[in-house]
Amino acid sequence: MLKGIAASSGIAIAKVYKLEQPKVEIVKKEAVAADEVKKFNDALEKTKRDIEGIKERAAKRLSAEELAVFDAHLMMASDPELASQIVATIENENVNAEYAADQVSTMMVAMFESMDNDYFRERAADIKDVTFRLKCNLLGLRIPDLSAIDEDSIIVAYDLTPSDTAQLNEYAKGFATAIGGRTSHSAIMARSLEVPAVVGCSGVLEAAQDGDLVILDAVEGNVIVNPDAATIKEYEAKAKAFAEEKEALKALLHAKSVSTDGHEVELAGNIGGVKDVEGVLNNGGEGIGLFRTEFLYMNADHFPSEDEQFEAYKEVLEGMGGRKVVVRTLDIGGDKKLSYFQFPEEMNPFLGYRAIRLCLDRTDIFRTQLRALIRASVYGRLCIMFPMIATVKEFRDAKAIFEEEKANLIAEGVQVADNIEVGMMVEIPAAAVNADNFAKEADFFSIGTNDLIQYSMAADRMSEHVSYLYQPYNPSILRLVKMTIDGAHKEGKWTGMCGEMAGEPYAVPLLLGMGLDEFSMSATSILKARKMVNSLSKKEMEKLAEEALSLSTAEEVLELVKKTVD
Ligand code: PEP
Ligand code: MG
């Protein structure tokens, strides 16, 4: 049995499918050119067929714009320049095909990467991708293809990228990754896909091999490899009980989120794309408290255009039928990279050039997104918020650009809503401490505890080695949350929370007591949170929160909450 972190609740029992990129080792050999050219042509044809197959399977789930990446790869694989250079290298040097392919791809990638032009840098990523596949085919190595899985499986990987998760089909019953914590992005994706996941499970890659039977216990955070019959039986019963509890919660689908003494809060859902709206509505969400727009950018092979973004925002706003939708502007950097954008090399990317810092520098990217959002504002109730705000000046600068683009659109004769709220994430301790000043300028706050805890504790949220420092119940975190809520309320503004803490069953009583107005979480946590809110008295929770704030450790706080509400 291996221990990891339960990232997306549930229990699954199925065979392992390992997602491990093959190691490509290229050795230069002398060879007969004609044989190698034939080998190369065959491998190139197979490469094209592979890409077409992946595209065909992905077409069932992805939009036309998300599929564009495969067209770019097909175009690259059919590029006569690439093929003729590889053939010329084989013939001129009498070398093996994989060596020639490697030489040519390295040279072409370096050439495109050095160009001062986003379009060509995107092409460098395409060449890398296509020639990797080509070299694997030449060497007879299997490239895992999640979309081709056709029997119930549990995916075992080092980590899953957003594009990996986009390929998961109905046969993926869950996943286990070697790295990551509760708030890493693979964990967040698992929750929005509603598949059980255990992350930060070091040793899983060594212990589980293709075809092994595993139990994924994503309630406790355990992975059991090749269990005996009695253990399987035990977990089948647990899986059944889990499904029954989930079903029972459905009774609260249309209930109000109100405490026993009549205090109402809003329970909203976090989404990463248009497709997640349905999950929020099906789980009783009263709004969207966080739309992580970076996934629009991460699932594409180019910066999404104003029109492409407009369509996505419009669809989400319309899908929510007038309920509040909080859209966060682009938050890339840290662990969220783009294949077509070169980030500067930094020692600490989580502390570096990212999110609003990048947007205030590359205002062209920022303005495109703001225009798309403002244009979509007439289709629902839009709130916009900026990520990673540290200083009041950053907020002012970002808001000024918003105002400029709004005025531009009005001047262009475009209809825009007059009730767009402009707020900010509070996820940097400096912003929490200065919340009362920020509240004079921002329409609302949304507390991002995933980063707030990471930065307060100086503990990388991606590292399983320091995941013990992810302590939402630590009094220092509670104090920062309280300062933020009080700062907002002093100016008559509302505060939400969209970090994972908002959906933690034992955090809900404390947050209710501290006066949080909106709780936004993974869709699958909403009904559990509603059950909790419905069973609590706001007055009593105020007392509980006050007492919790006077304690010294996370353990003491958790013990107090459990004693009070269990
Ligand atoms: C957060 O930091 O709490 C948050 C909600 O944003 P993300 O997890 O996308 O960084
Ligand atoms: Mg964040």
Side-chain angles (χ1 to χ4, degrees), residues 328 331 354 388 425 427 450-451 461:
R328 172 173 78 188
D331 181 10
R354 55 172 301 197
M388 300 287 298
M425 300 265 309
E427 53 186 342
N450 306 340
D451 279 317
R461 64 195 263 189

Side-chain angles (χ1 to χ4, degrees), residues 385-405:
M385 67 178 173
F386 308 125
M388 300 287 298
I389 294 282
T391 69
V392 171
K393 180 168 187 315
E394 282 171 335
F395 181 80
R396 283 182 188 154
D397 290 349
K399 175 130 193 236
I401 296 175
F402 162 83
E403 294 294 357
E404 260 176 52
E405 286 309 330

